[in-house]
Amino acid sequence: LDKRETGGLPNPYVKVQVSPNCESKHETRVQKKVQNPQFDETFVFHDVSPSSLSITTVHFDVLDCYEPDQHHLIGILDFSLTKADLFSDNDLWQDIVQHDDHQIRGGLGKVLFALRFLPTAGCLTVVNVIVMKARSLTPMTAGGSTNPYAKVSFLVDGKRVTKRKTVTLYGTMNPTWNSSCQFSVAMERLTNVSIVVSIMHCGKLGRHRGVGQVELGPNCRADSLGHRHWSDMLASPQQLITMWHPLTIYTKLPRRKKTLFSVILWCCISTFIDSVLSVVIDIFACGIIDIFAESVV
């Protein structure tokens, strides 16, 4: 395994899951400060039938435990059992797909962000999103650079209900934000929500264009990083789960339609503001006229 960006050695461990019919997940012990870990651990999955072996895939996530509540994804391996000789005792070596800054070649770029699930005693729960940085973004200006900022959208039933933005960094394709935001949602609605992290370019005259985006949530494809990141977050409350995500093509999100109540409320507020401004202007105008009259007399 590679060293960390800071030069230190990783603390690796492996999560193992079988799909499509097995929901259980196992993980190894954490090996401290080692690039060639040896686990020698055995896991048994009881929900796999012989008839489903041809469509069964074993998913390996290799992670680095930075801190007790901070875990970074090093790489993944999806291994189909059709490639394995199940009656052999020989060791089988496979390459993991690396998830680092050097993995992007000719794509839209990649973004690193963390999720934390904070269940509360009440009826609401909190999802914390920390957008850390992006790398190798697509140039969006004639000079071959980008003015990026990140936009985090919170969706319910596929419609955006709220959003948060980071600051804009000018002239860089490798921005670092370390910006945090959080969203509250009812526990029973967690199966209907999703989060979209969009990397945007701030152009001239306030024109904004999308560089790329990442979607994650329970309704993403079961084999996607977005679904895996979300599942790992729910499985580890209070822990910060960090992953690199490759950007996909940016698309505009549908907004939730305004209700009749919100429209009426907005009209009332606008009318009230107009009335207050009219009174202030009248008072100011009367004061000017009185001062002018006194000066003439």
Side-chain angles (χ1 to χ4, degrees), residues 99 135 162 294:
H99 280 258
R135 291 294 179 263
T162 186
E294 289 176 3

Side-chain angles (χ1 to χ4, degrees), residues 126-145:
V126 175
V127 177
N128 180 217
V129 184
I130 302 176
V131 183
M132 297 177 174
K133 56 188 174 182
R135 291 294 179 263
S136 303
L137 297 179
T138 301
M140 302 295 284
T141 66
S145 188

